[in-house]
C-alpha cells in the first residue's frame, strides 16, 4: 500500500492545483493506473467542476455574502483534498466526495 501511495502522490497533488493540473495528472496516471492517484483525480475534478457550476449560478446574485460563502466552501473542499493527498490518505472531501467518486467512477 505504501508503494502505491508514494508512486501516486505526485499525480494526486498536481491534480488539485488547477483544472489543467487535473488534466495533466489524469494523463500522468493513464499508463500506471495508480488507485491512490485515481481517487484524488476524481476528487479534484469534482471540486473544479463544482467551482465552475456554482460560480456560474452565484454570478446571478449580486451579493457579497453569497460570494464569500461560495469562496469559503470551495477553499475548504480544495484545502481538505490537498492536505489528504499530501498526507497520503484517501479521504473523501466533505459533502460531495462520495458523489464525486460515483460520478467519475470511469476515471481509473
Amino acid at each position: 500500500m505504501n508503494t502505491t501511495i508514494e508512486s501516486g502522490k505526485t499525480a494526486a497533488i498536481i491534480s488539485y492545483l488547477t483544472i489543467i493540473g487535473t488534466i495533466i495528472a489524469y494523463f500522468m496516471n493513464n499508463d500506471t493506473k495508480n488507485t491512490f492517484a485515481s481517487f484524488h483525480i476524481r476528487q479534484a475534478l469534482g471540486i473544479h467542476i463544482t467551482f465552475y457550476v456554482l460560480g456560474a449560478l452565484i454570478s446571478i446574485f449580486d451579493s457579497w455574502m453569497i460570494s464569500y460563502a461560495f469562496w469559503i466552501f470551495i477553499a475548504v473542499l480544495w484545502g481538505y483534498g490537498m492536505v489528504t493527498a499530501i498526507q497520503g490518505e484517501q479521504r473523501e472531501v466533505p459533502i460531495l466526495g462520495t458523489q464525486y467518486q460515483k460520478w467519475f467512477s470511469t476515471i481509473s
Side-chain angles (χ1 to χ4, degrees):
M1 184 68 170
N2 283 339
T3 57
T4 304
I5 291 171
E6 288 305 315
S7 64
K9 202 176 223 184
T10 303
I13 293 169
I14 288 173
S15 69
Y16 286 102
L17 297 179
T18 62
I19 190 70
I20 304 297
T22 304
I23 294 167
I24 291 169
Y26 173 77
F27 285 111
M28 285 174 62
N29 192 45
N30 217 9
D31 296 332
T32 58
K33 303 292 187 198
N34 184 294
T35 55
F36 179 76
S38 296
F39 174 85
H40 283 286
I41 290 168
R42 287 190 293 269
Q43 294 290 298
L45 181 62
I47 292 169
H48 293 304
I49 290 174
T50 301
F51 171 77
Y52 292 117
V53 170
L54 279 181
L57 293 173
I58 298 276
S59 68
I60 296 170
F61 302 101
D62 189 22
S63 170
W64 62 271
M65 290 181 67
I66 294 173
S67 296
Y68 282 155
F70 163 72
W71 283 105
I72 290 170
F73 176 68
I74 293 297
V76 166
L77 292 182
W78 180 85
Y80 187 85
M82 179 64 94
V83 167
T84 58
I86 291 169
Q87 291 177 344
E89 299 173 355
Q90 282 188 340
R91 284 195 263 159
E92 296 170 343
V93 294
I95 300 170
L96 296 170
T98 306
Q99 295 302 317
Y100 295 157
Q101 292 301 314
K102 290 179 189 174
W103 294 337
F104 306 118
S105 61
T106 57
I107 297 174
S108 57

